[in-house]
Amino acid sequence: MTQEETVFQYIKKAIIENRLPPGTRLRELKLAEIFSVKRGLIRKVLTRLTNEKLVDHQQNIGAQVAIPSLKDGQDLFSTRQILEQAVMRILCQKITDIEVRYLQKYLQKEQLAYQQGNHKLSLRWSIDFHKELAKLTGNSVIEEFLIEIINRTPLVILSQLGEDPAHSCVNHEHTEIIEALSRRDSESAVRLMNQHLSHLEKMFSMKPQKATTNLEEVFSE
Amino acid sequence: MTQEETVFQYIKKAIIENRLPPGTRLRELKLAEIFSVKRGLIRKVLTRLTNEKLVDHQQNIGAQVAIPSLKDGQDLFSTRQILEQAVMRILCQKITDIEVRYLQKYLQKEQLAYQQGNHKLSLRWSIDFHKELAKLTGNSVIEEFLIEIINRTPLVILSQLGEDPAHSCVNHEHTEIIEALSRRDSESAVRLMNQHLSHLEKMFSMKPQKATTNLEEVFSE
DNA sequence: TGATGCTTTATTGTTGACAATATTGTAGGC
DNA sequence: GCCTACAATATTGTCAACAATAAAGCATCA
């Protein structure tokens, strides 16, 4: 992997896993020192992260971890629902038994981590589960867009709730989804996925508004 | 608009309108001369176009207009269908009469251009029609992704058919779609959009394989 | 002729120095 | 104290020179 790719993945992961909360200033020189790379490389990485809407960049001012608005979050969730529904339908058509077992392995890792109290790790597996579903469709465009959406989800949640709510997919819902997939029961799979995402969305929209308030939103009228 | 944005839009438009056919080499210095800008700016623009998959960039070799494969095209079309179906459902819920009339204006421009024999212009309005539908949903994420998909469509078609087929949406189908929308008839709107996209996809997959053949695809086994 | 290795040219990639801009700090007047 | 203006600092943006790489041209030999 190239140096640029390495740094890119590092920062991206840190944002997705909420170690860099929304609004964090990302200074080029500082990052360059931390990763022992030139500033130019950091610049390229920040541009890429900006394209994926994980970072917000303002001319002559700099970059910070993005703070998606409430509406951004709502739009993201409805689009995610549309695409993950479609994923369910596609998978019920074409998934193989081997792939079902492959998915179950993800589930086990997620469960194990949860039982061991490692919620961060559990969350990571849980996110990967959704990404794997997208990949198994075999449709590169769905994969591309859905993975981007999934990556934005933690930021969207954290920008509304102040603290990290250890947001996590409910594991037994993942289990039920896999069961529906293994029966190739398209209707159930879609229904279960919808329920599942509604739960996630509900957590996100119940807002004990965050401590560091989004000033733009407050004074938007 | 910034210089960078201007150049970006210029090149992007040229690709979408098939004035820069798939495979065209895009040399940094040459582009810099053409637009009277520094090479650095061209570099940034090419990076952005690469992110949108309109340009393909290879390390140390350079950039060329992307040549999407047959599978890329198929994946693009099925994803486009998923999203435009969803757009129809959303619009039937929330579109206003004013917005319906706004859409009709696009249609008229498209028709006028067609009758005047200006097929290029007609195609442009036709593409914009689909983009407007996406925008009217009010969902920024759908808009973002669907516009990107729509922009990739001409390349995908041209990469399969050798020559520019003056591919164009069938105008009366657009008319029917608007009529269904104005009746808020969700089922019809979805059905009509599906038919409409099938026609487009059919044209794309009937391949009198192009003259400059895609070598990778030929020898892919 | 055609294959091989070397040289030259064309093109992309990187970097450090500088310019432009924004932010912070300070002093003076009221 | 607090506002303003100005100076100092920090940060981002740009560029021209150079390095690295790939492509093209050319000569040599079988």
PDB file of all heavy atoms in Angstrom, chain C residues 2-13:
ATOM      1  P    DG C   2      10.026  -8.272 -39.522  1.00  0.00           P
ATOM      2  OP1  DG C   2       8.724  -8.760 -39.996  1.00  0.00           O
ATOM      3  OP2  DG C   2      10.185  -6.876 -39.063  1.00  0.00           O
ATOM      4  O5'  DG C   2      10.544  -9.259 -38.389  1.00  0.00           O
ATOM      5  C5'  DG C   2      11.900  -9.725 -38.433  1.00  0.00           C
ATOM      6  C4'  DG C   2      12.445  -9.819 -37.027  1.00  0.00           C
ATOM      7  O4'  DG C   2      13.761  -9.211 -36.995  1.00  0.00           O
ATOM      8  C3'  DG C   2      11.661  -9.057 -35.954  1.00  0.00           C
ATOM      9  O3'  DG C   2      11.972  -9.638 -34.710  1.00  0.00           O
ATOM     10  C2'  DG C   2      12.260  -7.681 -36.049  1.00  0.00           C
ATOM     11  C1'  DG C   2      13.731  -8.070 -36.153  1.00  0.00           C
ATOM     12  N9   DG C   2      14.608  -7.068 -36.749  1.00  0.00           N
ATOM     13  C8   DG C   2      14.261  -6.042 -37.611  1.00  0.00           C
ATOM     14  N7   DG C   2      15.283  -5.313 -37.956  1.00  0.00           N
ATOM     15  C5   DG C   2      16.360  -5.879 -37.285  1.00  0.00           C
ATOM     16  C6   DG C   2      17.743  -5.507 -37.278  1.00  0.00           C
ATOM     17  O6   DG C   2      18.270  -4.583 -37.880  1.00  0.00           O
ATOM     18  N1   DG C   2      18.489  -6.361 -36.452  1.00  0.00           N
ATOM     19  C2   DG C   2      17.981  -7.419 -35.753  1.00  0.00           C
ATOM     20  N2   DG C   2      18.845  -8.111 -35.027  1.00  0.00           N
ATOM     21  N3   DG C   2      16.698  -7.774 -35.760  1.00  0.00           N
ATOM     22  C4   DG C   2      15.960  -6.964 -36.536  1.00  0.00           C
ATOM     23  P    DA C   3      10.956  -9.807 -33.540  1.00  0.00           P
ATOM     24  OP1  DA C   3      10.155 -11.022 -33.770  1.00  0.00           O
ATOM     25  OP2  DA C   3      10.279  -8.509 -33.377  1.00  0.00           O
ATOM     26  O5'  DA C   3      11.890 -10.073 -32.288  1.00  0.00           O
ATOM     27  C5'  DA C   3      12.970 -11.003 -32.414  1.00  0.00           C
ATOM     28  C4'  DA C   3      14.196 -10.440 -31.736  1.00  0.00           C
ATOM     29  O4'  DA C   3      14.783  -9.396 -32.545  1.00  0.00           O
ATOM     30  C3'  DA C   3      13.919  -9.816 -30.357  1.00  0.00           C
ATOM     31  O3'  DA C   3      14.745 -10.452 -29.401  1.00  0.00           O
ATOM     32  C2'  DA C   3      14.282  -8.344 -30.533  1.00  0.00           C
ATOM     33  C1'  DA C   3      15.271  -8.381 -31.681  1.00  0.00           C
ATOM     34  N9   DA C   3      15.353  -7.159 -32.474  1.00  0.00           N
ATOM     35  C8   DA C   3      14.340  -6.555 -33.177  1.00  0.00           C
ATOM     36  N7   DA C   3      14.707  -5.471 -33.819  1.00  0.00           N
ATOM     37  C5   DA C   3      16.054  -5.352 -33.519  1.00  0.00           C
ATOM     38  C6   DA C   3      17.033  -4.406 -33.891  1.00  0.00           C
ATOM     39  N6   DA C   3      16.769  -3.370 -34.692  1.00  0.00           N
ATOM     40  N1   DA C   3      18.280  -4.583 -33.415  1.00  0.00           N
ATOM     41  C2   DA C   3      18.529  -5.625 -32.613  1.00  0.00           C
ATOM     42  N3   DA C   3      17.715  -6.583 -32.205  1.00  0.00           N
ATOM     43  C4   DA C   3      16.471  -6.378 -32.694  1.00  0.00           C
ATOM     44  P    DT C   4      14.554 -10.192 -27.835  1.00  0.00           P
ATOM     45  OP1  DT C   4      14.781 -11.476 -27.151  1.00  0.00           O
ATOM     46  OP2  DT C   4      13.292  -9.454 -27.671  1.00  0.00           O
ATOM     47  O5'  DT C   4      15.748  -9.224 -27.457  1.00  0.00           O
ATOM     48  C5'  DT C   4      17.100  -9.611 -27.764  1.00  0.00           C
ATOM     49  C4'  DT C   4      18.011  -8.437 -27.504  1.00  0.00           C
ATOM     50  O4'  DT C   4      17.833  -7.448 -28.543  1.00  0.00           O
ATOM     51  C3'  DT C   4      17.739  -7.715 -26.171  1.00  0.00           C
ATOM     52  O3'  DT C   4      18.900  -7.786 -25.351  1.00  0.00           O
ATOM     53  C2'  DT C   4      17.421  -6.274 -26.578  1.00  0.00           C
ATOM     54  C1'  DT C   4      18.018  -6.176 -27.973  1.00  0.00           C
ATOM     55  N1   DT C   4      17.363  -5.202 -28.885  1.00  0.00           N
ATOM     56  C2   DT C   4      18.130  -4.244 -29.492  1.00  0.00           C
ATOM     57  O2   DT C   4      19.325  -4.155 -29.333  1.00  0.00           O
ATOM     58  N3   DT C   4      17.429  -3.388 -30.320  1.00  0.00           N
ATOM     59  C4   DT C   4      16.059  -3.403 -30.583  1.00  0.00           C
ATOM     60  O4   DT C   4      15.550  -2.595 -31.340  1.00  0.00           O
ATOM     61  C5   DT C   4      15.325  -4.430 -29.907  1.00  0.00           C
ATOM     62  C7   DT C   4      13.856  -4.533 -30.124  1.00  0.00           C
ATOM     63  C6   DT C   4      15.993  -5.267 -29.102  1.00  0.00           C
ATOM     64  P    DG C   5      18.793  -7.378 -23.796  1.00  0.00           P
ATOM     65  OP1  DG C   5      19.573  -8.337 -22.986  1.00  0.00           O
ATOM     66  OP2  DG C   5      17.380  -7.119 -23.470  1.00  0.00           O
ATOM     67  O5'  DG C   5      19.574  -6.004 -23.809  1.00  0.00           O
ATOM     68  C5'  DG C   5      20.909  -5.962 -24.325  1.00  0.00           C
ATOM     69  C4'  DG C   5      21.288  -4.528 -24.618  1.00  0.00           C
ATOM     70  O4'  DG C   5      20.402  -4.004 -25.640  1.00  0.00           O
ATOM     71  C3'  DG C   5      21.162  -3.584 -23.415  1.00  0.00           C
ATOM     72  O3'  DG C   5      22.392  -2.886 -23.254  1.00  0.00           O
ATOM     73  C2'  DG C   5      20.003  -2.653 -23.781  1.00  0.00           C
ATOM     74  C1'  DG C   5      20.029  -2.680 -25.305  1.00  0.00           C
ATOM     75  N9   DG C   5      18.749  -2.402 -25.958  1.00  0.00           N
ATOM     76  C8   DG C   5      17.540  -3.006 -25.704  1.00  0.00           C
ATOM     77  N7   DG C   5      16.572  -2.558 -26.465  1.00  0.00           N
ATOM     78  C5   DG C   5      17.184  -1.600 -27.263  1.00  0.00           C
ATOM     79  C6   DG C   5      16.637  -0.775 -28.282  1.00  0.00           C
ATOM     80  O6   DG C   5      15.477  -0.727 -28.690  1.00  0.00           O
ATOM     81  N1   DG C   5      17.608   0.057 -28.847  1.00  0.00           N
ATOM     82  C2   DG C   5      18.928   0.084 -28.482  1.00  0.00           C
ATOM     83  N2   DG C   5      19.705   0.945 -29.136  1.00  0.00           N
ATOM     84  N3   DG C   5      19.449  -0.675 -27.527  1.00  0.00           N
ATOM     85  C4   DG C   5      18.521  -1.496 -26.965  1.00  0.00           C
ATOM     86  P    DC C   6      22.651  -1.907 -22.022  1.00  0.00           P
ATOM     87  OP1  DC C   6      24.016  -2.151 -21.509  1.00  0.00           O
ATOM     88  OP2  DC C   6      21.496  -1.987 -21.106  1.00  0.00           O
ATOM     89  O5'  DC C   6      22.658  -0.484 -22.719  1.00  0.00           O
ATOM     90  C5'  DC C   6      23.574  -0.220 -23.792  1.00  0.00           C
ATOM     91  C4'  DC C   6      23.205   1.097 -24.455  1.00  0.00           C
ATOM     92  O4'  DC C   6      21.923   0.970 -25.095  1.00  0.00           O
ATOM     93  C3'  DC C   6      23.084   2.268 -23.469  1.00  0.00           C
ATOM     94  O3'  DC C   6      23.928   3.325 -23.900  1.00  0.00           O
ATOM     95  C2'  DC C   6      21.611   2.648 -23.504  1.00  0.00           C
ATOM     96  C1'  DC C   6      21.174   2.147 -24.878  1.00  0.00           C
ATOM     97  N1   DC C   6      19.725   1.788 -24.960  1.00  0.00           N
ATOM     98  C2   DC C   6      18.921   2.415 -25.917  1.00  0.00           C
ATOM     99  O2   DC C   6      19.422   3.254 -26.670  1.00  0.00           O
ATOM    100  N3   DC C   6      17.604   2.080 -25.999  1.00  0.00           N
ATOM    101  C4   DC C   6      17.095   1.164 -25.172  1.00  0.00           C
ATOM    102  N4   DC C   6      15.801   0.865 -25.298  1.00  0.00           N
ATOM    103  C5   DC C   6      17.902   0.502 -24.195  1.00  0.00           C
ATOM    104  C6   DC C   6      19.191   0.839 -24.121  1.00  0.00           C
ATOM    105  P    DT C   7      24.059   4.689 -23.029  1.00  0.00           P
ATOM    106  OP1  DT C   7      25.459   5.154 -23.100  1.00  0.00           O
ATOM    107  OP2  DT C   7      23.412   4.480 -21.708  1.00  0.00           O
ATOM    108  O5'  DT C   7      23.167   5.710 -23.858  1.00  0.00           O
ATOM    109  C5'  DT C   7      23.313   5.770 -25.297  1.00  0.00           C
ATOM    110  C4'  DT C   7      22.373   6.833 -25.857  1.00  0.00           C
ATOM    111  O4'  DT C   7      21.024   6.302 -25.953  1.00  0.00           O
ATOM    112  C3'  DT C   7      22.268   8.105 -25.010  1.00  0.00           C
ATOM    113  O3'  DT C   7      22.347   9.236 -25.884  1.00  0.00           O
ATOM    114  C2'  DT C   7      20.921   7.981 -24.317  1.00  0.00           C
ATOM    115  C1'  DT C   7      20.112   7.185 -25.334  1.00  0.00           C
ATOM    116  N1   DT C   7      19.028   6.345 -24.775  1.00  0.00           N
ATOM    117  C2   DT C   7      17.770   6.408 -25.362  1.00  0.00           C
ATOM    118  O2   DT C   7      17.508   7.116 -26.304  1.00  0.00           O
ATOM    119  N3   DT C   7      16.830   5.568 -24.778  1.00  0.00           N
ATOM    120  C4   DT C   7      17.014   4.710 -23.711  1.00  0.00           C
ATOM    121  O4   DT C   7      16.100   4.021 -23.294  1.00  0.00           O
ATOM    122  C5   DT C   7      18.340   4.704 -23.143  1.00  0.00           C
ATOM    123  C7   DT C   7      18.656   3.821 -21.983  1.00  0.00           C
ATOM    124  C6   DT C   7      19.283   5.514 -23.704  1.00  0.00           C
ATOM    125  P    DT C   8      22.338  10.733 -25.305  1.00  0.00           P
ATOM    126  OP1  DT C   8      23.285  11.553 -26.100  1.00  0.00           O
ATOM    127  OP2  DT C   8      22.477  10.680 -23.836  1.00  0.00           O
ATOM    128  O5'  DT C   8      20.860  11.211 -25.670  1.00  0.00           O
ATOM    129  C5'  DT C   8      20.385  11.059 -27.023  1.00  0.00           C
ATOM    130  C4'  DT C   8      18.898  11.318 -27.079  1.00  0.00           C
ATOM    131  O4'  DT C   8      18.185  10.265 -26.388  1.00  0.00           O
ATOM    132  C3'  DT C   8      18.444  12.637 -26.422  1.00  0.00           C
ATOM    133  O3'  DT C   8      17.712  13.374 -27.387  1.00  0.00           O
ATOM    134  C2'  DT C   8      17.595  12.200 -25.230  1.00  0.00           C
ATOM    135  C1'  DT C   8      17.104  10.829 -25.677  1.00  0.00           C
ATOM    136  N1   DT C   8      16.754   9.883 -24.586  1.00  0.00           N
ATOM    137  C2   DT C   8      15.483   9.334 -24.565  1.00  0.00           C
ATOM    138  O2   DT C   8      14.626   9.590 -25.382  1.00  0.00           O
ATOM    139  N3   DT C   8      15.266   8.452 -23.534  1.00  0.00           N
ATOM    140  C4   DT C   8      16.155   8.077 -22.541  1.00  0.00           C
ATOM    141  O4   DT C   8      15.832   7.278 -21.672  1.00  0.00           O
ATOM    142  C5   DT C   8      17.465   8.689 -22.620  1.00  0.00           C
ATOM    143  C7   DT C   8      18.499   8.354 -21.593  1.00  0.00           C
ATOM    144  C6   DT C   8      17.696   9.558 -23.629  1.00  0.00           C
ATOM    145  P    DT C   9      17.213  14.872 -27.067  1.00  0.00           P
ATOM    146  OP1  DT C   9      17.264  15.650 -28.319  1.00  0.00           O
ATOM    147  OP2  DT C   9      17.901  15.347 -25.845  1.00  0.00           O
ATOM    148  O5'  DT C   9      15.678  14.630 -26.722  1.00  0.00           O
ATOM    149  C5'  DT C   9      14.843  13.976 -27.678  1.00  0.00           C
ATOM    150  C4'  DT C   9      13.519  13.612 -27.046  1.00  0.00           C
ATOM    151  O4'  DT C   9      13.731  12.638 -25.993  1.00  0.00           O
ATOM    152  C3'  DT C   9      12.775  14.786 -26.394  1.00  0.00           C
ATOM    153  O3'  DT C   9      11.524  14.910 -27.033  1.00  0.00           O
ATOM    154  C2'  DT C   9      12.648  14.395 -24.917  1.00  0.00           C
ATOM    155  C1'  DT C   9      12.792  12.881 -24.977  1.00  0.00           C
ATOM    156  N1   DT C   9      13.303  12.223 -23.746  1.00  0.00           N
ATOM    157  C2   DT C   9      12.533  11.255 -23.147  1.00  0.00           C
ATOM    158  O2   DT C   9      11.451  10.904 -23.564  1.00  0.00           O
ATOM    159  N3   DT C   9      13.097  10.688 -22.023  1.00  0.00           N
ATOM    160  C4   DT C   9      14.318  10.996 -21.461  1.00  0.00           C
ATOM    161  O4   DT C   9      14.715  10.424 -20.459  1.00  0.00           O
ATOM    162  C5   DT C   9      15.069  12.031 -22.128  1.00  0.00           C
ATOM    163  C7   DT C   9      16.403  12.432 -21.593  1.00  0.00           C
ATOM    164  C6   DT C   9      14.534  12.591 -23.234  1.00  0.00           C
ATOM    165  P    DA C  10      10.528  16.093 -26.654  1.00  0.00           P
ATOM    166  OP1  DA C  10       9.850  16.540 -27.889  1.00  0.00           O
ATOM    167  OP2  DA C  10      11.236  17.057 -25.785  1.00  0.00           O
ATOM    168  O5'  DA C  10       9.460  15.303 -25.774  1.00  0.00           O
ATOM    169  C5'  DA C  10       8.948  14.070 -26.255  1.00  0.00           C
ATOM    170  C4'  DA C  10       7.971  13.498 -25.253  1.00  0.00           C
ATOM    171  O4'  DA C  10       8.709  12.903 -24.149  1.00  0.00           O
ATOM    172  C3'  DA C  10       7.021  14.520 -24.634  1.00  0.00           C
ATOM    173  O3'  DA C  10       5.748  13.907 -24.558  1.00  0.00           O
ATOM    174  C2'  DA C  10       7.619  14.789 -23.253  1.00  0.00           C
ATOM    175  C1'  DA C  10       8.254  13.446 -22.917  1.00  0.00           C
ATOM    176  N9   DA C  10       9.432  13.501 -22.053  1.00  0.00           N
ATOM    177  C8   DA C  10      10.507  14.332 -22.173  1.00  0.00           C
ATOM    178  N7   DA C  10      11.445  14.128 -21.256  1.00  0.00           N
ATOM    179  C5   DA C  10      10.934  13.088 -20.498  1.00  0.00           C
ATOM    180  C6   DA C  10      11.431  12.406 -19.373  1.00  0.00           C
ATOM    181  N6   DA C  10      12.601  12.684 -18.808  1.00  0.00           N
ATOM    182  N1   DA C  10      10.667  11.420 -18.846  1.00  0.00           N
ATOM    183  C2   DA C  10       9.492  11.144 -19.425  1.00  0.00           C
ATOM    184  N3   DA C  10       8.920  11.714 -20.477  1.00  0.00           N
ATOM    185  C4   DA C  10       9.698  12.689 -20.964  1.00  0.00           C
ATOM    186  P    DT C  11       4.477  14.728 -24.102  1.00  0.00           P
ATOM    187  OP1  DT C  11       3.306  14.197 -24.846  1.00  0.00           O
ATOM    188  OP2  DT C  11       4.803  16.176 -24.131  1.00  0.00           O
ATOM    189  O5'  DT C  11       4.324  14.288 -22.589  1.00  0.00           O
ATOM    190  C5'  DT C  11       4.042  12.931 -22.287  1.00  0.00           C
ATOM    191  C4'  DT C  11       4.144  12.723 -20.800  1.00  0.00           C
ATOM    192  O4'  DT C  11       5.518  12.865 -20.386  1.00  0.00           O
ATOM    193  C3'  DT C  11       3.374  13.742 -19.953  1.00  0.00           C
ATOM    194  O3'  DT C  11       2.209  13.121 -19.461  1.00  0.00           O
ATOM    195  C2'  DT C  11       4.348  14.129 -18.843  1.00  0.00           C
ATOM    196  C1'  DT C  11       5.490  13.145 -19.009  1.00  0.00           C
ATOM    197  N1   DT C  11       6.821  13.675 -18.636  1.00  0.00           N
ATOM    198  C2   DT C  11       7.507  13.063 -17.623  1.00  0.00           C
ATOM    199  O2   DT C  11       7.073  12.098 -17.026  1.00  0.00           O
ATOM    200  N3   DT C  11       8.731  13.617 -17.331  1.00  0.00           N
ATOM    201  C4   DT C  11       9.320  14.710 -17.952  1.00  0.00           C
ATOM    202  O4   DT C  11      10.420  15.113 -17.599  1.00  0.00           O
ATOM    203  C5   DT C  11       8.544  15.311 -19.008  1.00  0.00           C
ATOM    204  C7   DT C  11       9.080  16.488 -19.742  1.00  0.00           C
ATOM    205  C6   DT C  11       7.343  14.770 -19.300  1.00  0.00           C
ATOM    206  P    DT C  12       1.271  13.823 -18.365  1.00  0.00           P
ATOM    207  OP1  DT C  12      -0.088  13.300 -18.563  1.00  0.00           O
ATOM    208  OP2  DT C  12       1.521  15.280 -18.398  1.00  0.00           O
ATOM    209  O5'  DT C  12       1.841  13.234 -16.996  1.00  0.00           O
ATOM    210  C5'  DT C  12       1.887  11.829 -16.814  1.00  0.00           C
ATOM    211  C4'  DT C  12       2.626  11.489 -15.541  1.00  0.00           C
ATOM    212  O4'  DT C  12       3.954  12.060 -15.591  1.00  0.00           O
ATOM    213  C3'  DT C  12       1.986  12.018 -14.255  1.00  0.00           C
ATOM    214  O3'  DT C  12       1.996  10.980 -13.287  1.00  0.00           O
ATOM    215  C2'  DT C  12       2.884  13.176 -13.867  1.00  0.00           C
ATOM    216  C1'  DT C  12       4.234  12.682 -14.361  1.00  0.00           C
ATOM    217  N1   DT C  12       5.229  13.745 -14.615  1.00  0.00           N
ATOM    218  C2   DT C  12       6.438  13.695 -13.938  1.00  0.00           C
ATOM    219  O2   DT C  12       6.735  12.832 -13.139  1.00  0.00           O
ATOM    220  N3   DT C  12       7.309  14.735 -14.250  1.00  0.00           N
ATOM    221  C4   DT C  12       7.092  15.764 -15.133  1.00  0.00           C
ATOM    222  O4   DT C  12       7.953  16.617 -15.321  1.00  0.00           O
ATOM    223  C5   DT C  12       5.817  15.743 -15.797  1.00  0.00           C
ATOM    224  C7   DT C  12       5.476  16.823 -16.785  1.00  0.00           C
ATOM    225  C6   DT C  12       4.954  14.755 -15.509  1.00  0.00           C
ATOM    226  P    DG C  13       1.363  11.201 -11.823  1.00  0.00           P
ATOM    227  OP1  DG C  13       0.850   9.909 -11.329  1.00  0.00           O
ATOM    228  OP2  DG C  13       0.482  12.392 -11.889  1.00  0.00           O
ATOM    229  O5'  DG C  13       2.644  11.584 -10.947  1.00  0.00           O
ATOM    230  C5'  DG C  13       3.599  10.566 -10.671  1.00  0.00           C
ATOM    231  C4'  DG C  13       4.573  11.022  -9.584  1.00  0.00           C
ATOM    232  O4'  DG C  13       5.429  12.070 -10.129  1.00  0.00           O
ATOM    233  C3'  DG C  13       3.911  11.617  -8.338  1.00  0.00           C
ATOM    234  O3'  DG C  13       4.586  11.088  -7.196  1.00  0.00           O
ATOM    235  C2'  DG C  13       4.118  13.116  -8.501  1.00  0.00           C
ATOM    236  C1'  DG C  13       5.431  13.186  -9.264  1.00  0.00           C
ATOM    237  N9   DG C  13       5.602  14.353 -10.124  1.00  0.00           N
ATOM    238  C8   DG C  13       4.736  14.812 -11.093  1.00  0.00           C
ATOM    239  N7   DG C  13       5.176  15.874 -11.721  1.00  0.00           N
ATOM    240  C5   DG C  13       6.405  16.137 -11.130  1.00  0.00           C
ATOM    241  C6   DG C  13       7.355  17.164 -11.394  1.00  0.00           C
ATOM    242  O6   DG C  13       7.290  18.084 -12.224  1.00  0.00           O
ATOM    243  N1   DG C  13       8.468  17.050 -10.562  1.00  0.00           N
ATOM    244  C2   DG C  13       8.649  16.082  -9.614  1.00  0.00           C
ATOM    245  N2   DG C  13       9.783  16.142  -8.915  1.00  0.00           N
ATOM    246  N3   DG C  13       7.783  15.112  -9.361  1.00  0.00           N
ATOM    247  C4   DG C  13       6.690  15.207 -10.152  1.00  0.00           C
TER     248       DG C  13
END
